[in-house]
C-alpha cells in the first residue's frame, strides 16, 4: 500500500547538491566502474547536462565544452593508471552588452 505523504513532514529523498564543496570516493569492481562510466558517457553524448546520484545525494551539473580528459600512467613500482575527466560549469549569465 502506498503511503500518502504528510505535507507537514519534510520530503524524504536524496539531498540535491547545487553549491558548496562535495567529494566522495568509491571503491568498485571493474564491472561496477564500467557500468558507471558507460552511463556517464551516454549522458555526456546526449547533451550538456549530467546527473550523478546515490541513494543519499543527487548532483545535477550543466557543463560547457571543451571537456578535459587527462590520462596519467606511472609505470614503475606499484604501477598506476589515472583517468580524470574535468567539466567546466556552464555560465548562466549572458555576456554584457557593449554598444
Amino acid at each position: 500500500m502506498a503511503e500518502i505523504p504528510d505535507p507537514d513532514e519534510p520530503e524524504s529523498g536524496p539531498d540535491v547538491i547545487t553549491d558548496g564543496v562535495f567529494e566522495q570516493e568509491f571503491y568498485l569492481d571493474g564491472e561496477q566502474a564500467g557500468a558507471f562510466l558507460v552511463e556517464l558517457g551516454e549522458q555526456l553524448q546526449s547533451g550538456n547536462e549530467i546527473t550523478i546520484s546515490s541513494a543519499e545525494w543527487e548532483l545535477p551539473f550543466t557543463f560547457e565544452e571543451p571537456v578535459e580528459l587527462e590520462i596519467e600512467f606511472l609505470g614503475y613500482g606499484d604501477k598506476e593508471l589515472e583517468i580524470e575527466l574535468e567539466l567546466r560549469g556552464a555560465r548562466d549569465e549572458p555576456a554584457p552588452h557593449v554598444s
Side-chain angles (χ1 to χ4, degrees):
M1 173 191 278
E3 292 184 18
I4 299 172
D6 182 349
D8 296 328
E9 282 188 40
E11 192 175 308
S12 64
D15 291 333
V16 178
I17 301 163
T18 57
D19 61 1
V21 176
F22 174 79
E23 184 175 334
Q24 189 160 1
E25 197 168 289
F26 296 90
Y27 293 91
L28 309 172
D29 62 29
E31 184 177 346
Q32 292 169 316
F36 171 81
L37 291 172
V38 166
E39 186 175 330
L40 180 60
E42 289 172 350
Q43 288 186 55
L44 288 167
Q45 290 177 325
S46 68
N48 66 339
E49 295 180 21
I50 62 170
T51 300
I52 302 171
S53 63
S54 75
E56 294 84 32
W57 52 266
E58 181 177 290
L59 198 160
F61 191 76
T62 303
F63 64 94
E64 63 182 29
E65 294 188 5
V67 173
E68 181 182 337
L69 179 64
E70 181 181 327
I71 299 171
E72 181 180 340
F73 173 68
L74 302 174
Y76 49 85
D78 291 333
K79 293 182 180 181
E80 185 175 299
L81 175 63
E82 183 175 319
I83 302 169
E84 181 178 316
L85 180 70
E86 188 169 323
L87 307 172
R88 292 183 154 267
R91 294 187 170 90
D92 295 333
E93 298 178 20
H97 178 70
V98 179
S99 16

